[in-house]
Amino acid sequence: MWSGGWIGWKDVPIFHRDRMFERFQKYYQWEDEEKHSIHSCWERCIKGKFPNLLGKARKFAKARALKKGIEVGKDWSVTIPFKPQWISQDSWEELVKVWSTGSWQDKSSQNSKNREKATGGRHTVGSKSFITVRKEMDHTFKRRAKFGEFWLQTHAKKGSRPLDKLPVCSELADVDLVEVDDVEDINQEKNVDWVDTRAGEAYESYKKLIVKKYGDDISLHPEFDMELWSSVAGGTKKRRLYGTSNITDPYVVLTGAPAKPNTDSFPSARSNKVQQLEEKIDEFEQEKVAELERGKVEKQAMLEKIEENARLFAEMNEKLQLLSRN
C-alpha cells in the first residue's frame, strides 16, 4: 500500500493511513470500545518501523547495484533501476531525490554517530516485538517463561540464550514443544555473552537487590519486582522503561502477566484518570492533525478545480475565436 515518497510516518496523508488501518481491521476483531487504543498502538508501531523499513530498502537497492558493478555514493540516483518490488517507481524516485540531498545525508550521518555513542539499550530480538518473543517462549516451554529466561533470550547473543540450549533446532518456527522445567542447563547464566555491557550489569544488579531484599531462599523470591527493576534500569525515559520497548504496561512484557491490582511498585501503574487524560490528549492531537490534513486535501482539491475551470475557459475561448474567424 506504499504509494508516495514518504520519508517518515508524518509524511503519510491521513487518507492513506485510514486505508492501511482498514486493511489491518480485515484480519482481526475486537470490541468497539477498544478501537481507539488499538488504533493508537498500531500507529505507534508503524511509526517506529518506518526508518528500519526504508533502511532495508536502501540496503536492498545498494546490494543489487553493487552486483551490477555500480558503486553507490552520495548520489542515490544510480539505484533508481534497483527498487524493491513493494514500492512504485514514482515513489522510489521521490525517495531517491531526498536521499541524495546534502541535508538528509548530514542528518543520517549524525544519527549514525549518535547510535555508535549509545551506551546500552540493544537487544537480540531483531524485528520481532518483545511480546512476540515472550509468546513464542511460552509456547515452546509450555509454561510462562521466567524473567531470567526472557532476559537472557532477548539480551544474550546466539549460543548462550535459553532456546539455543534446547535439544532441538533453535529456530522457533521449527521447535517441537518440549518440557523444559526439569532441564538443568536451560537457564545457566555462566559464560553468557551479553549483547552489551548494560544488559549484563542491569541483570546482575537486579539479582543482587532481590537477594538483599528477600533473602537467599529462592522460594521466597517473587516472580518479579518492578520497583527494583525500575531502580536498576534508571526509571522511565520518554514513557519507556529499559527492556520493555514502548508498551503501556512494562510488567506484561517482563513477566507475561498483567500487573497486580494492588501493586504500587512502579509509576506506570497509574490511576485510570491519568490514563484517560493521556488518551484524551492523544485523541485531541490526532484530531488536530486530521484537521490539518483535511485542510490540505481541501485546498489541493480547490486548486485543482480552479486549474480545471481555467483550462475549460481557455478551450471555450479558443473555440469562440475560431467561430468568430469563420
Side-chain angles (χ1 to χ4, degrees):
M1 301 183 72
W2 195 290
S3 56
W6 307 324
I7 296 298
W9 182 245
K10 61 181 177 60
D11 301 321
V12 182
I14 294 296
F15 168 73
H16 290 286
R17 297 186 191 185
D18 292 341
R19 285 177 56 237
M20 293 177 187
F21 189 68
E22 287 173 3
R23 174 74 63 83
F24 175 75
Q25 291 181 96
K26 292 181 179 179
Y27 300 98
Y28 303 95
Q29 293 180 338
W30 54 75
E31 299 295 336
D32 290 340
E33 58 267 22
E34 300 293 336
K35 183 176 181 179
H36 173 72
S37 59
I38 290 174
H39 183 274
S40 298
C41 182
W42 170 85
E43 189 156 357
R44 285 199 304 271
C45 180
I46 292 186
K47 181 180 179 180
K49 290 183 180 293
F50 238 76
N52 186 47
L53 183 64
L54 292 177
K56 287 182 177 179
R58 288 192 297 273
K59 289 181 180 178
F60 172 83
K62 189 174 183 178
R64 291 188 63 190
L66 288 173
K67 283 185 178 180
K68 297 291 184 179
I70 302 174
E71 290 287 339
V72 181
K74 293 185 177 181
D75 184 11
W76 279 86
S77 62
V78 297
T79 65
I80 288 179
F82 308 109
K83 71 174 187 67
Q85 293 182 351
W86 50 266
I87 190 169
S88 68
Q89 188 66 40
D90 291 341
S91 299
W92 181 251
E93 291 179 6
E94 287 183 42
L95 290 169
V96 165
K97 287 181 181 178
V98 176
W99 295 335
S100 298
T101 61
S103 58
W104 184 89
Q105 291 175 4
D106 291 342
K107 186 176 181 180
S108 177
S109 177
Q110 184 60 49
N111 289 339
S112 298
K113 292 178 181 178
N114 292 339
R115 286 192 294 270
E116 291 175 358
K117 295 177 182 178
T119 58
R122 297 170 62 196
H123 55 76
T124 59
V125 300
S127 59
K128 294 180 181 179
S129 68
F130 285 158
I131 288 293
T132 299
V133 173
R134 172 165 283 285
K135 287 182 178 179
E136 290 175 340
M137 293 184 71
D138 294 349
H139 179 70
T140 303
F141 290 173
K142 293 202 292 187
R143 61 167 171 78
R144 201 162 69 200
K146 300 174 183 177
F147 168 70
E149 294 168 337
F150 172 75
W151 191 256
L152 284 167
Q153 185 65 31
T154 55
H155 290 83
K157 293 183 180 178
K158 188 174 182 179
S160 57
R161 299 175 298 186
L163 291 179
D164 297 338
K165 299 176 182 179
L166 291 177
V168 286
C169 176
S170 62
E171 292 296 330
L172 287 175
D174 299 324
V175 167
D176 296 326
L177 294 183
V178 294
E179 291 285 0
V180 296
D181 289 298
D182 299 326
V183 179
E184 294 181 357
D185 64 343
I186 189 67
N187 197 25
Q188 289 292 327
E189 296 166 11
K190 297 179 180 178
N191 301 321
V192 174
D193 189 8
W194 294 103
V195 69
D196 59 23
T197 55
R198 183 184 181 186
E201 290 174 355
Y203 184 59
E204 293 300 326
S205 298
Y206 171 76
K207 289 198 302 178
K208 290 178 181 178
L209 290 175
I210 284 288
V211 173
K212 183 178 180 181
K213 184 175 181 179
Y214 298 100
D216 295 325
D217 189 351
I218 298 179
S219 63
L220 299 178
H221 293 182
E223 180 182 31
F224 184 70
D225 190 315
M226 182 62 83
E227 182 180 10
L228 293 184
W229 181 255
S230 179
S231 64
V232 167
T236 57
K237 184 178 181 181
K238 295 183 179 179
R239 296 178 61 183
R240 295 189 179 190
L241 179 68
Y242 173 54
T244 62
S245 68
N246 61 346
I247 195 166
T248 303
D249 189 354
Y251 196 91
V252 173
V253 180
L254 296 172
T255 68
K260 297 177 182 178
N262 296 328
T263 181
D264 58 354
S265 59
F266 184 67
S268 74
R270 296 163 292 188
S271 66
N272 290 332
K273 290 184 178 180
V274 175
Q275 292 183 0
Q276 290 173 2
L277 179 60
E278 290 180 347
E279 290 179 358
K280 288 182 179 180
I281 292 173
D282 291 340
E283 186 176 357
F284 176 76
E285 290 177 349
Q286 290 180 9
E287 288 178 355
K288 288 301 179 183
V289 171
E291 287 179 7
L292 290 173
E293 290 292 343
R294 283 196 295 269
K296 291 179 182 179
V297 172
E298 292 174 357
K299 183 178 179 180
Q300 182 64 29
M302 185 180 297
L303 291 174
E304 291 176 355
K305 189 173 183 179
I306 292 172
E307 291 177 357
E308 180 65 16
N309 289 337
R311 186 183 63 80
L312 292 174
F313 178 79
E315 291 178 356
M316 187 180 297
N317 188 41
E318 186 177 349
K319 290 179 181 179
L320 288 173
Q321 290 178 358
L322 289 173
L323 289 173
S324 63
R325 290 174 186 172
N326 295 332

